[in-house]
Amino acid sequence: DKSGFQPYRAPSTGDAKSESEEVGVAATDKGSWNVFYLSLGTVMNFDSNRERCPKTCEILDSIPGIYGHSFFSCLAPESHITKHNGPTNKKLRCFLPLICKDEARLRVGDVEKVPLKKGKVLIWDDSFEHESWNDDPTSRITLIFDIWHPEITAKEQKFLSFLGNSRLRGQKKIVEKSGNKDNFFSIIDRAQYLEVAKEELWT
């Protein structure tokens, strides 16, 4: 069942070309990467996904310092997520492989091969450049969620959350009023309607 999964897409930058009906750009140069969002700030609604994973969401919501960005990641067989980095170091990325073989690998900064083990959480600052491979013939399923950097105070968390959600609300209004479709909100929203082949998820 592919319901809820959508291709990962990001706004186009530089010479990057949009694909799939101009819904942003893919993060892979080989294979495919699909995501099943559980949370992304307070502006975007993923209630239908959350209803399918109540226990997971309950556990995530109970984590101290949870950032409000969580999703299941499915990296198809023989896929490569190209090098990139997150936009900020105000958060840390938590990476929990659920279905993972030895051939799955991750590079973070200068560490060329970060070991990935099923059921073992890896935490890192994703503002460092990183990339990921799945050279196995089966899909790699990972639960990914972010937590606030421990040096960010509760007041700072509240303020930064307000800024982030205000940005998404602003982008939503831009889409509604001007039709500009190359912003983060629009791309995530429209990617929900892109087709995902079953073999990309459960191979």
Side-chain angles (χ1 to χ4, degrees):
D1 190 347
K2 71 178 180 60
S3 178
F5 275 98
Q6 62 188 76
Y8 179 86
R9 293 289 186 268
S12 58
T13 57
D15 296 327
K17 300 295 184 182
S18 296
E19 59 177 65
S20 299
E21 300 177 355
E22 298 184 350
V23 181
V25 294
T28 56
D29 60 3
K30 178 184 177 185
S32 63
W33 181 25
N34 296 287
V35 294
F36 184 100
Y37 283 107
L38 299 173
S39 64
L40 183 56
T42 61
V43 179
M44 307 202 75
N45 188 328
F46 297 104
D47 286 349
S48 60
N49 286 358
R50 293 177 64 86
E51 288 170 2
R52 300 180 68 180
C53 312
K55 190 63 179 179
T56 299
C57 291
E58 179 184 348
I59 293 171
L60 288 172
D61 291 343
S62 72
I63 296 174
I66 193 73
Y67 182 80
H69 182 203
S70 57
F71 57 96
F72 288 104
S73 164
C74 179
L75 190 58
E78 306 298 328
S79 293
H80 172 226
I81 299 174
T82 58
K83 61 183 180 181
H84 62 287
N85 56 278
T88 177
N89 64 354
K90 66 187 177 186
K91 60 184 178 65
L92 299 177
R93 174 133 298 180
C94 302
F95 196 89
L96 175 60
L98 302 174
I99 300 176
C100 178
K101 298 293 183 65
D102 291 340
E103 289 77 6
R105 54 196 171 103
L106 182 71
R107 177 185 68 82
V108 178
D110 294 332
V111 182
E112 288 295 332
K113 187 173 181 180
V114 178
L116 299 176
K117 299 294 182 182
K118 177 181 176 180
K120 184 175 181 180
V121 178
L122 176 69
I123 302 177
W124 85 93
D125 180 344
D126 83 331
S127 67
F128 286 93
E129 184 183 89
H130 54 283
E131 59 186 316
S132 187
W133 295 262
N134 181 20
D135 298 325
D136 196 77
T138 59
S139 299
R140 186 183 78 197
I141 309 295
T142 308
L143 175 62
I144 296 176
F145 59 96
D146 294 336
I147 57 175
W148 287 98
H149 192 287
E151 294 183 5
I152 303 294
T153 67
K155 283 187 176 181
E156 290 169 335
Q157 291 177 20
K158 185 176 180 179
F159 176 67
L160 292 169
S161 293
F162 170 78
L163 291 181
N165 287 316
S166 295
R167 175 172 172 265
L168 284 175
R169 279 191 291 270
Q171 291 182 351
K172 182 178 180 181
K173 288 185 179 297
I174 288 173
V175 172
E176 294 170 347
K177 291 185 176 181
S178 71
N180 184 336
K181 296 182 178 181
D182 196 33
N183 67 36
F184 185 73
F185 175 88
S186 173
I187 289 168
I188 298 298
D189 184 57
R190 291 185 296 134
Q192 297 180 68
Y193 304 101
L194 296 179
E195 186 67 23
V196 178
K198 184 176 180 180
E199 57 269 20
E200 294 182 11
L201 300 176
W202 308 119
T203 300

